[in-house]
Amino acid sequence: MANNSPALTGNSQPQHQAAAAAAQQQQQQCGGGGGATKPAVSGKQGNVLPLWGNEKTMNLNPMILTNILSSPYFKVQLYELKTYHEVVDEIYFKVTHVEPWEKGSRKTAGQTGMCGGVRGVGTGGIVSTAFCLLYKLFTLKLTRKQVMGLITHTDSPYIRALGFMYIRYTQPPTDLWDWFESFLDDEEFITH
């Protein structure tokens, strides 16, 4: 029996190593694994940025999405924008806040406690320019390089904020720390 063990180990060793390598590769592709990886190499390889969750709704609240899709701003003006750079320019010139509703467009008088209106999603209003542009970015299916361009942009904190919101709505929850960690002490976000 002792003579057979080395032969069996020798024959099964390459199969075992191949199975372990395949399992490790599958874990890395699915975002799992033991070690922390940076977003630049997690998920699918290269510049392709995988989407997490609902690939049609971007995981947005249904009322917000309905208001975006019926918004004249989204249907007419943003329809004309075809490139990433055009959308970034639009963010620079048009976004003044990143709340879901335009200020003063929702009626929340008399609502108290934990009702939806107090949390910002229970009653509709005019959906904000920022959320329309966020969904427009989603329709462009951004690459990893483009998302990195948003979150490191130097011209406007709103461009960066929409980049982080894009990550929050489209990336696997297990990858969020890797994306956000190096920006947690960012002075630009603390002051705005």
Side-chain angles (χ1 to χ4, degrees), residues 129-149:
T129 302
F131 269 74
C132 288
L133 284 158
L134 177 64
Y135 194 74
K136 179 63 179 185
L137 288 169
F138 176 72
T139 65
L140 297 176
K141 305 296 183 220
L142 300 182
T143 64
R144 188 176 314 279
K145 183 178 178 181
Q146 289 171 328
V147 172
M148 287 302 294

Side-chain angles (χ1 to χ4, degrees), residues 102-168:
E102 289 299 338
K103 295 174 184 180
S105 70
R106 291 179 35 255
K107 304 239 185 273
T108 57
Q111 297 178 350
T112 60
M114 291 301 291
C115 65
V118 174
R119 292 191 314 268
V121 295
T123 57
I126 299 171
V127 71
S128 71
T129 302
F131 269 74
C132 288
L133 284 158
L134 177 64
Y135 194 74
K136 179 63 179 185
L137 288 169
F138 176 72
T139 65
L140 297 176
K141 305 296 183 220
L142 300 182
T143 64
R144 188 176 314 279
K145 183 178 178 181
Q146 289 171 328
V147 172
M148 287 302 294
L150 289 173
I151 64 176
T152 59
H153 208 283
T154 58
D155 291 345
S156 167
Y158 299 115
I159 295 170
R160 297 182 67 207
L162 284 178
F164 286 114
M165 288 171 59
Y166 185 89
I167 292 167
R168 170 60 184 90

Side-chain angles (χ1 to χ4, degrees), residues 20-33:
Q24 183 179 10
Q25 182 180 12
Q26 183 179 11
Q27 266 187 334
Q28 288 173 346
Q29 288 176 344
C30 294

Side-chain angles (χ1 to χ4, degrees), residues 28-31 39 41-53 55 138 141-144 166-167 169-172 175 179:
Q28 288 173 346
Q29 288 176 344
C30 294
V41 294
S42 67
K44 292 184 179 181
Q45 297 298 321
N47 203 23
V48 176
L49 192 63
L51 295 176
W52 175 83
E55 294 188 14
F138 176 72
K141 305 296 183 220
L142 300 182
T143 64
R144 188 176 314 279
Y166 185 89
I167 292 167
Y169 280 104
T170 66
Q171 295 305 290
D175 290 351
W179 280 102

